[in-house]
Amino acid sequence: MKIIAVGWNYREHNQEMNRMDVPQEPVLFMKPDSALLKSNKPFFIPDFSERVEYETEIIIRICRLGKNISERFASRYYDGVGVGIDFTARDLQQKLKSAGSPWEICKAFDGSAAISEFLPVERFADVNNLNFHLDINGKTVQQGNTRDQIFNIDKIIAYASRFFTLKIGDIIFTGTPAGVGRVNIDDHLQAYVEGEKLMDFYVR
């Protein structure tokens, strides 16, 4: 399986990161399966970064093999919705970007893709109107709604499938809203979709 992630998909997050241009197409990057962090296992801050940040996102699970999928049929290709955290070594990212170097290692390192269980799509009236949020140590630090995405889930699937064959079990991170921030040792992270807690783990 593979993890496809979307960057720059919420305007307010782009603004907080000093990106003023609205992307004309989804911005994609990849994470390997070794990045997965499941079952509420703790996240260990890597020794190569002094500033790891959380990015809370709605994630979807692909349920059919597909290539060059039409947007109008994209909803047939996913059956699960959950919440994920795209952990980013921000200091390393800034260093690599300033040098004009690829920055996969700051996004794709081991354990950098924390995911919840998946709930059936049918549980939700509209996946393009989902509230989600992250609490750290009992305080809400990030919240968003998928209606604010620049590219909705079906557009993301259609676009990504032009370049990558989507396979059963693949996971797509759909972008993070404003409010990203640093995690610290002993932080307690709890993530919710439509008020239901789907993720509950600690930083070590």
Side-chain angles (χ1 to χ4, degrees):
M1 58 81 61
K2 58 185 172 293
I3 303 166
I4 300 172
V6 183
W8 309 351
N9 203 26
Y10 286 81
R11 286 178 175 83
E12 290 186 356
H13 171 60
N14 293 345
Q15 292 168 4
E16 75 176 348
M17 302 301 290
N18 297 315
R19 286 188 296 266
M20 298 303 144
D21 294 335
V22 176
Q24 300 304 302
E25 296 177 325
V27 177
L28 305 181
F29 61 94
M30 310 284 285
K31 289 175 177 269
D33 57 5
S34 56
L36 279 178
L37 182 66
K38 302 186 290 185
S39 305
N40 288 318
K41 293 180 180 178
F43 170 74
F44 289 89
I45 294 177
D47 60 6
F48 53 75
S49 177
E50 295 183 359
R51 186 177 182 87
V52 173
E53 295 188 353
Y54 58 82
E55 298 186 8
T56 314
E57 315 193 10
I58 290 295
I59 58 175
I60 59 170
R61 180 181 61 200
I62 299 298
C63 63
R64 295 176 64 179
L65 183 71
K67 174 70 174 175
N68 290 320
I69 300 165
S70 169
E71 185 179 335
R72 63 185 177 135
F73 297 129
S75 62
R76 302 178 182 179
Y77 286 82
Y78 58 97
D79 64 354
V81 176
V83 63
I85 298 178
D86 167 23
F87 285 109
T88 303
R90 193 71 70 196
D91 52 349
L92 184 57
Q93 183 185 43
Q94 292 171 347
K95 177 182 177 181
L96 292 168
K97 287 174 68 175
S98 65
S101 301
W103 41 267
E104 281 86 352
I105 57 175
C106 75
K107 284 280 194 180
F109 59 87
D110 290 354
S112 63
I115 65 169
S116 72
E117 63 178 306
F118 287 91
L119 300 178
V121 172
E122 295 76 18
R123 285 274 301 272
F124 306 102
D126 183 4
V127 296
N128 293 309
N129 187 18
L130 289 179
N131 291 296
F132 60 102
H133 72 274
L134 173 69
D135 289 356
I136 297 183
N137 303 326
K139 178 182 178 181
T140 298
V141 295
Q142 190 177 24
Q143 54 191 339
N145 187 294
T146 52
R147 65 171 175 259
D148 297 322
Q149 291 179 337
I150 298 171
F151 305 103
N152 66 27
I153 290 171
D154 290 350
K155 284 185 170 66
I156 292 168
I157 287 176
Y159 183 78
S161 70
R162 291 174 57 193
F163 306 96
F164 312 112
T165 297
L166 301 184
K167 297 184 176 182
I168 295 171
D170 286 351
I171 297 169
I172 298 180
F173 278 64
T174 62
T176 195
V180 302
R182 183 175 185 169
V183 292
N184 299 289
I185 292 174
D186 293 331
D187 278 349
H188 183 197
L189 278 61
Q190 298 171 299
Y192 299 76
V193 177
E194 289 295 327
E196 183 172 352
K197 183 166 65 175
L198 297 185
M199 189 180 287
D200 189 333
F201 66 101
Y202 287 84
V203 176
R204 299 303 189 202

